[in-house]
Amino acid sequence: MKIRIAHLSDPHFGANYPEVVNALTSSMKDLKPSLIILSGDITQRARCEQFVAAEKFVQQLAEFPWAIVPGNHDIPLFNIFARLFYPYKYFKNVFKGLLEKEIPVKSVHVFTLNSTSRFRHVQGALSAKQIKKIVADPLAETDVRIACFHHPMDCPKTVDEKNLLRNRDEAMQVFAKAGIDLILGGHIHDPYVNLSGERYPNVKRQSIISVAGTCLSWRTRAGAPNSFHLIDIDTADKKIPRLVITRYDLQSNKQFTPILVQSFFRDLAQGWIKN
Ligand SMILES: [Fe+2]
Ligand SMILES: [Fe+2]
């Protein structure tokens, strides 16, 4: 069984290139994913009109199911009253019922988690309750499990260490116990894919950590233009599922093109291994 997921992140509506929206929409229509995951920083400042722009984009791709989590930019920054008393008002208005959810797509289960908080400006964390909810879920051993939240579990540059999920060590232990296969995030606008064993050597079962870049925003970093990840999961062999992550970068002709392909397979004892 083949499942294709498009992982988009950090569009920052309100600080985005309008012309890239069309390029991204046509890529999605060409690639026909079974699910589109959007891992936060949907807007630049959590303003009503920015959520309306995001909603328009999502509606253009309404033929696909969506899994969406908020980022630190999706809760008000300057309006302290709104931040404290209704931080997710517009998110909930636009993406009804999507704040934290388990989304099954055939034998793949996607858990969306909210790593933002009204009490933190930039940094992200998950509560013990949030991560334990995943462990409690009884799934078949052969299923593939994906956890998605805005703040990343790994990064390629030391300057971004401060942006990693605060309680990542504790979270990683729980994810391994729960058999989470793939952990998706965004936030640093620097696309990166790695096995968990490098950053978390004490956790025996390896997961794949995949951080998507910014798909639409002009807040790009050196060597990382607008991009997204395409995740192809093949569960035909139930004992050894395979997973391929392809990074698509925006080129000067204003089209997204595949530039990097990384393949993995799962060994029931060790977790994920690079092909
Ligand atoms: Fe961002
Ligand atoms: Fe962010």
Side-chain angles (χ1 to χ4, degrees), residues 220-269:
T220 50
R221 298 177 68 167
N226 289 133
S227 66
F228 67 87
H229 281 149
L230 192 72
I231 302 160
D232 285 299
I233 304 168
D234 188 345
T235 58
D237 181 342
K238 285 200 164 205
K239 283 191 179 152
I240 310 175
R242 295 178 182 277
L243 196 151
V244 177
I245 301 180
T246 308
R247 170 176 159 183
Y248 281 71
D249 273 13
L250 187 73
Q251 306 296 333
S252 50
N253 64 358
K254 297 286 171 236
Q255 289 201 340
F256 283 97
T257 308
I259 63 136
L260 181 67
V261 179
Q262 287 163 283
S263 306
F264 305 87
F265 66 94
R266 186 174 72 188
D267 173 287
L268 276 179

Side-chain angles (χ1 to χ4, degrees), residues 48-181:
C48 179
E49 69 275 13
Q50 296 170 352
F51 272 108
V52 169
E55 183 180 26
K56 203 175 142 202
F57 166 65
V58 169
Q59 276 173 354
Q60 280 173 347
L61 297 165
E63 68 260 47
F64 307 111
W66 284 76
I68 304 177
V69 296
N72 51 302
H73 278 260
D74 299 318
I75 48 181
L77 178 62
F78 302 116
N79 183 342
I80 301 299
F81 188 81
R83 185 180 177 87
L84 286 177
F85 295 105
Y86 44 89
Y88 304 106
K89 180 183 163 190
Y90 293 130
F91 181 96
K92 286 179 175 172
N93 281 352
V94 171
F95 307 119
K96 289 174 188 71
L98 283 186
L99 191 56
E100 289 210 334
K101 215 175 165 175
E102 181 191 337
I103 301 169
V105 188
K106 299 173 187 165
S107 54
V108 174
H109 293 253
V110 179
F111 298 88
T112 58
L113 299 165
N114 176 14
S115 59
T116 68
S117 163
R118 69 193 83 187
F119 303 114
R120 290 186 302 264
H121 175 202
V122 179
Q123 283 200 308
L126 294 173
S127 70
K129 198 175 155 196
Q130 282 176 303
I131 41 186
K132 275 180 185 146
K133 202 167 75 182
I134 289 179
V135 190
D137 206 292
L139 293 175
E141 199 179 20
T142 49
D143 283 357
V144 172
R145 301 160 170 85
I146 300 175
C148 174
F149 42 93
H150 180 62
H151 294 84
M153 291 289 284
D154 200 356
C155 60
K157 300 185 180 85
T158 45
V159 69
D160 285 314
E161 299 276 323
K162 62 180 185 300
N163 289 312
L164 296 177
L165 189 82
R166 281 212 302 207
N167 53 340
R168 57 190 173 276
D169 292 308
E170 181 203 341
M172 195 64 233
Q173 298 276 0
V174 179
F175 290 150
K177 227 184 266 175
I180 293 291
D181 297 294

Side-chain angles (χ1 to χ4, degrees), residues 10 12 41 71-73 150-151 187 189:
D10 296 75
H12 287 263
D41 282 359
N72 51 302
H73 278 260
H150 180 62
H151 294 84
H187 186 55
H189 301 195

